[in-house]
Amino acid sequence: MRFLTLAFVLTSASAFACPDLSGTYAACRSTTGSSAGSSEIVVSQSIDADGITTYVMTSTGDEAHERKTESVVVNGIPVSETDESQGFPITFTSVATCTGDESLDLNGNIKVQGQDMVTVLIQVTKANGVMTQTFTGSIMGQDVSDVQNCQ
């Protein structure tokens, strides 16, 4: 019985393993030139008693120069928000998971009045002090992709 309990604990811990993305990055730049990027990026990471990883990312956008903070809870549970301030519903849904300790995977979808407008997968990895964000998906039926390196 103890062996089964230990096996379960070890398996559960590895299922929640996420990459260490923590650090301070001077800038994130697109390798394709298709996005503006950001600067002064700070990523912190914590793991709660249940093994759930939370990332807190603070950055300044290069276009708007606004400082913003976002939290990502990696638990595989979809999070949805609906905004009706434009006079019609816009729903954003996201799910955060990890592929072992290799990548943080963010799946997102934006629906306008129930129609898919944006579907995106963002995979975030870190190697040799460089955090890489790889974006793939579609916007209004058009395929899009970009890679941003943060260092």
Side-chain angles (χ1 to χ4, degrees):
M1 185 65 169
R2 284 187 180 151
F3 175 76
L4 290 176
T5 302
L6 179 60
F8 176 75
V9 168
L10 292 175
T11 304
S12 297
S14 66
F16 291 111
C18 288
D20 179 7
L21 303 175
S22 60
T24 301
Y25 308 92
C28 292
R29 298 287 174 249
S30 170
T31 60
T32 64
S34 63
S35 61
S38 55
S39 58
E40 302 172 19
I41 303 94
V42 177
V43 179
S44 63
Q45 180 174 347
S46 62
I47 302 171
D48 70 14
D50 294 325
I52 304 295
T53 300
T54 299
Y55 295 97
V56 177
M57 302 172 197
T58 304
S59 65
T60 301
D62 284 352
E63 287 181 347
H65 301 288
E66 291 180 18
R67 193 90 174 135
K68 69 178 187 175
T69 299
E70 297 181 33
S71 293
V72 176
V73 178
V74 185
N75 60 8
I77 298 172
V79 176
S80 290
E81 296 177 28
T82 300
D83 178 7
E84 296 197 20
S85 65
Q86 302 297 314
F88 48 84
I90 300 173
T91 303
F92 176 76
T93 304
S94 64
V95 178
T97 58
C98 287
T99 303
D101 62 356
E102 296 174 17
S103 71
L104 166 62
D105 303 324
L106 304 166
N107 283 285
N109 178 272
I110 298 174
K111 290 185 178 191
V112 177
Q113 294 182 311
Q115 302 273 337
D116 282 335
M117 289 293 161
V118 177
T119 301
V120 66
L121 168 63
I122 305 168
Q123 292 183 298
V124 186
T125 59
K126 183 177 177 181
N128 301 318
V130 177
M131 183 173 67
T132 301
Q133 303 173 36
T134 304
F135 300 79
T136 55
S138 65
I139 298 176
M140 295 175 44
Q142 298 293 316
D143 290 342
V144 295
S145 63
D146 193 16
V147 175
Q148 288 192 354
N149 289 319
C150 307
Q151 45 191 340

